[in-house]
Amino acid sequence: MNRETEPNTISVFGATGSIGRQTLDVADNIGARIDVMTAGARDDVFETACRKYKPRIAAMADCDAAARLRVALADTDIKVLGGEDGVIAAASETTAADAVIAISGMAASAPMIAAAGRCRRICMANKEAIVAAGGHLLGAIKRGGAELIPVDSEHSAIFQSLHSGRRDDVDKLILTASGGPFFGKKRGELSAITPEMALAHPTWLMGPKITVDCAMMMNKGFEVIEAMHLFSMPADKIEVVVHRESIVHSMVEFRDGAVIAQLGSPDMRTAIQYALTYPSRRLGLAKRLDWRTISKLTFYEPDTESFPLLPLAYESARRGGTYAAVMSAADEIAVHEFLRGRIGFCDVADVVAGVTEKYGRSGEASFDEIIDADREARVRAREMSARIGGAD
Ligand code: NAD
Ligand code: MG
């Protein structure tokens, strides 16, 4: 690579989250040093991590939390930055070879672009920003000179499977979906679902927003769009299949009918570590599959009637423009409102579909237009949630 970075150093953006914490486990496992660490708001949790990993720079998006952290870490050499600008500044100053982008939502986009101008490799866990503005962000990462490696388990599986053939010979990508905790339920049965029920994912342990997205199959819809951008494939060449066991992480079907898959136990640390060590492999942290105990691997067609956000994502992908950005932003708000008990489980799909239909625009969209569409979608989704929930 054409830049000077310190070997075996990682910057972790979103270090207090599910992916962020697992990235720190992986850093321990491969003996990597942490250069920059960032978090949103939880300064208490973040302080403990800063004391353990001793980053050169720690940044928090929340200014008050950053101010508290600065006082708390006054006895250390750690430079503390605050605010969204502070997170971006930290990314602009990193000297790490690799950056793991584990901030959730659109907030990941600016630090991701800044880190791409500094790091050798961007290990991309965030999906919302890619869904909303994939073309623009991937272009910016390339211009920044960094290599992009996917961390999302399905996309890591596809990335690994693609190595067994030529890109021109790929017929389709097959994304596996666990189906979430409500697999097999009909739409009528879904209305009574509470946040606690939606947060109990059968196979993966993740942050709350993505866990609810999984329960609605919205996450899989996002992943179709994510795959479209990451692998330059049209949405109609990306298939979703429900696979309850979460052992086959995704597959690639080649022209001759051969299907190549990547398998393993459901543990994000494998995908995170692979993104960091690719093309090498190191001793992993995940439990090994025991073939004597796996009696069957099942595959089903997704139920698009009960889970309408999956077909909505395909439709948004086909329409292009700001549709995916509007859908993703509306989902972020609607899931938040659901988790706060303000709207019901099925209302989330109604808010997301309603806002997407009404405020999405097709045709070319600039990055600024996408940001504007994202902002408007949030306002509209909040309004619609308030109407549905009967809030004042
Ligand atoms: P999480 O909510 O557990 O963590 C999010 C992190 O981002 C936290 O450190 C939080 O402090 C930080 N953050 C939030 N808002 C911020 C802001 N405005 N500015 C700066 N930092 C901010 O989420 P997660 O489950 O770890 O997921 C992170 C991303 O990875 C998401 O985009 C998710 O879709 C994707 N992903 C997660 C998993 C998983 O297993 N958890 C799997 C695949 C992809
Ligand atoms: Mg995934």
Side-chain angles (χ1 to χ4, degrees), residues 16 31 71 103 129 145 152 170 195 202 209 257 259 269 271 301 306 339 357 389:
T16 52
V71 173
I103 295 175
D152 205 349
V170 173
K209 192 246 174 197
V259 179
R269 294 174 303 178
E301 202 179 332
S306 300
L339 287 173
E357 277 302 326

Side-chain angles (χ1 to χ4, degrees), residues 127 152-155 210 219-220 223:
K127 67 184 75 177
D152 205 349
S153 61
E154 296 77 3
H155 305 77
I210 185 175
N219 182 55
K220 212 47 58 177
E223 289 181 351

Side-chain angles (χ1 to χ4, degrees), residues 98-253:
D98 305 322
V100 175
I101 310 295
I103 295 175
S104 54
M106 268 312 267
S109 57
M112 166 194 315
I113 293 171
R118 304 282 298 180
C119 301
R120 184 180 61 99
R121 179 173 290 180
I122 298 289
C123 305
M124 180 67 70
N126 172 281
K127 67 184 75 177
E128 295 87 354
I130 299 296
V131 166
H136 295 287
L137 292 177
L138 265 51
I141 290 171
K142 205 167 172 192
R143 282 193 300 280
E147 170 186 39
L148 176 77
I149 312 282
V151 167
D152 205 349
S153 61
E154 296 77 3
H155 305 77
S156 173
I158 289 170
F159 180 76
Q160 295 179 55
S161 302
L162 282 172
H163 284 101
S164 61
R166 286 187 7 204
R167 208 44 92 86
D168 291 350
D169 292 331
V170 173
D171 238 9
K172 62 178 173 187
L173 309 180
I174 303 154
L175 294 175
T176 52
S178 72
F182 312 125
F183 170 75
K185 288 211 187 303
K186 294 289 158 214
R187 196 164 159 84
E189 299 171 78
L190 296 173
S191 50
I193 282 162
T194 62
E196 293 68 34
M197 290 155 83
L199 287 173
H201 194 278
T203 44
W204 293 95
L205 198 58
M206 304 173 288
K209 192 246 174 197
I210 185 175
T211 305
V212 176
D213 282 339
C214 283
M216 309 203 172
M217 300 225 36
M218 178 80 273
N219 182 55
K220 212 47 58 177
F222 287 151
E223 289 181 351
V224 169
I225 301 174
E226 193 186 355
M228 198 176 86
H229 289 300
L230 292 176
F231 306 113
S232 305
M233 288 289 276
D236 61 9
K237 294 254 180 203
I238 305 170
E239 200 173 293
V240 170
V241 61
V242 175
H243 166 52
R244 297 295 286 157
E245 296 81 10
S246 297
I247 285 175
V248 177
H249 296 316
S250 277
M251 308 178 252
V252 175
E253 187 174 314

Side-chain angles (χ1 to χ4, degrees), residues 44-124:
D44 49 345
V45 179
F46 195 42
E47 185 197 337
T48 311
C50 287
R51 288 199 178 277
K52 177 166 179 203
Y53 290 96
K54 303 183 176 52
R56 202 167 49 83
I57 308 174
M60 299 198 77
D62 184 291
C63 291
D64 295 339
R68 287 192 296 270
L69 185 73
R70 194 170 292 118
V71 173
L73 294 178
D75 61 322
T76 72
D77 293 334
I78 301 170
K79 176 169 156 185
V80 177
L81 301 175
E84 303 272 351
D85 288 349
V87 174
I88 300 166
S92 313
E93 288 179 38
T94 181
T95 53
D98 305 322
V100 175
I101 310 295
I103 295 175
S104 54
M106 268 312 267
S109 57
M112 166 194 315
I113 293 171
R118 304 282 298 180
C119 301
R120 184 180 61 99
R121 179 173 290 180
I122 298 289
C123 305
M124 180 67 70

Side-chain angles (χ1 to χ4, degrees), residues 344-360:
F345 186 77
C346 293
D347 297 334
V348 175
D350 291 344
V351 169
V352 176
V355 172
T356 307
E357 277 302 326
K358 193 144 180 217
Y359 300 100

